[in-house]
Amino acid sequence: MRRKFSILEAGSPRYVLARKKAIGKSIYLGVAVSYTDEGVFDWACSSYDGNEFVSHEDTFCASTTVTRVDQLKHLFDTIIKTVGDYATSHNYRIQAVCVGCDEKTAEVVAEHPDLKDPVRDMCTRFWFDLDATPCIYKLRGLSLNEEAASAARKVYDWFTPQFPGSIPRISVDPDTNEVLVDMDNHCHMVDLKHFEETTDKPTWDKLLELAAECKRRQLKILFFNSTPQGGGVALMRHATIRLMRLLGVDCRWFVAKPNPDVFVITKRKFHNVFQGVTDDEQYRLRKEDKDLWVEWCEQNFDNYWGEGKGVIDTADVIIMDDPQVSAIIPRIRKLNPAARVIYRSHIEIRADLASIPGSMQHDLWDFLWSGFISKSDLFLSHPVAGFIPPRVPHAKVALLPAATDELDGLNKKMSAADLEYYRRVFNRCAEDQGSPGISADRPYVIQIARFDPAKGIPDVIESYRFFREQLAAKGLEDDQHPQLVICGHGSIDDPDGTVIYEQVIEMLARPEYLPYAKDICVARLPASDQLLCALLRSSFCALQLSHREGFEIKVTEALAKYKPVIAFRSGGIPLQIEDGKTGILVERGNTRGVADALTRLYTDNDYYEGFVNELRTKAQDSKRQEFFTPFQSVNWLYLATQLAYKGNNDASIAKNQPQADQIEGTYMGNGELRTWGAKYVRQFWQESS
């Protein structure tokens, strides 16, 4: 007799008991499909929670009057409904699904390539409809049930079960330190059609045109940075590589082997010094710091990316995504002189301080620029004039803001059940850290950011105190006051996170904040994108009170969820917020001004709805496209096709051009000299379209 999933009847004792759980139990599914006769499919699903398997087996008889593609679609409708009903009735949370087939079915699919589309469609439906990360794998076993169980166990091993939230483990190739995005392409969450649906036609057409050129010229594009997870760079690269793979572009991403001693240098003596958040002389870069950092970069180069590794020696365009690994630029030049190198400066560099001889910023920039970064062909900066440090000629500077992805876990749409699930997940994280949780029946204000000295977290708390005082003065009872949520992920290259977190906890124990501490939820969160997405989607409004900031992608993400943002006029943030239309800009440090803005948003519904309605307009949706993955990918592919020598008739001439640090501007792949003039990259490809 075939086993079936049990569906609990609404109102039954087990059904009621299941809903008393604080958080639905996480399960991982394996789905195996076998094509038997014309229109007949056997399928099995195995549910695994880390301890035991629960199996379901069935036969699906499709109509013989429809195509094989439609037969598969109908089968997958049945599978998704069956597992969805099973999980809902038991209050289970499907974290991930591994979909596979036996060899016979794989042969049928190979003979009929059009059958791949329904399989991929089912995977994307798991992602968008059930918030489960889908994976595809070829299965082996003595029976379908054994194959399904094997798939469930495999997908369980790929994820991190102790953290609710369907994020696969980060996979890095041990030989080259290449980040194997989406478990080396086994995870399949989105298709090109989903990106197309969220992108305007001119941008999409340009993306396809440039991707086709990259493939025709067989260009190889590489990204380098320090860490595969945590922080905006890593988030962007996962999405970029995912889209590039769907487009068929040869684009890869490499990270350095982590060294905590080096990360103390790059965070506290590079990052914090550049931003001007410290003037303590102990953070001045010293000779031993320089030697250790250079040695680390060169060891990574020699061990993973150098001669004979098939990485840098075969690359056409190389993007250095942060200063942490910039010491390899001269080594790139020596190993592969034909490779074009782009340096992307993504943090706020206090150009005013870097211009003062003898300052920490001046000495640091002089060291990095003269020895390493000046060897780049192009310098990309966030679009803020004050971020371009001295000695960088504007002729070789182009502007490029940061981006996020509309379809990944940070931004995708969620059901009410999803939002409630992640609220409970957050509350468990908060409870584990001794912090209050989010109430189900009160609104809240949120700031999502790393626990970093530049993020202005003390000002967030002070602004909230003034806000609460103003609401009390208006006669609102405490239970009518919004809560405050302060949270964020960590990063392996950021040693400041624990220090700042502990400072925040100590601050809340001070007498002036104690009356409000029970309503301030502070938590360092696991690496779950959907958790941050749900918290932001359920918030009343967002804060971003950074004192120093490059281009804060959390602002873009909040606006895309139609949440007004109150922010300091710091760094690139004023470029993201239209003051009085999509958010409210306040002078840095003006916590009473932030409280005034919060009070008006909360007590004047028409005022609040004016922001929300503006954010929902097509005009605002169109403006935000510049900060999403497809538009950003057009920028990268444009730069690659323009700079690369390969495939250009004049490439032999271009290879004999002077060194990058000996010219003002950039020699393009066709031999022409271009001066960028600190203009947006998009201006060049939009003008040529």
Side-chain angles (χ1 to χ4, degrees), residues 29 109 398 461 469 505 551 683:
L29 301 183
V109 172
I461 296 171
E469 290 174 352
I505 299 304
F551 194 92
Q683 292 178 262

Side-chain angles (χ1 to χ4, degrees), residues 10-28:
S12 68
R14 288 182 62 196
Y15 183 91
V16 173
L17 181 63
R19 270 138 193 81
K20 290 184 178 179
K21 301 172 186 174
I23 299 177
K25 182 171 71 172
S26 294
I27 59 173
Y28 298 79

Side-chain angles (χ1 to χ4, degrees), residues 355-420:
S355 300
I356 302 173
S359 69
M360 288 193 291
Q361 292 78 11
H362 179 277
D363 292 351
L364 172 60
W365 180 245
D366 184 66
F367 168 67
L368 292 176
W369 172 255
S370 60
F372 311 103
I373 297 173
S374 64
K375 311 305 192 261
S376 305
D377 296 292
L378 176 63
F379 186 99
L380 293 180
S381 171
H382 279 315
V384 181
F387 286 11
I388 303 171
R391 299 179 60 185
V392 183
H394 282 208
K396 65 187 306 178
V397 175
L399 306 179
L400 186 70
T404 187
D405 192 85
E406 274 192 285
L407 303 174
D408 68 8
L410 284 167
N411 296 290
K412 69 172 185 164
K413 292 180 173 57
M414 290 183 160
S415 67
D418 293 335
L419 297 178
E420 173 59 17

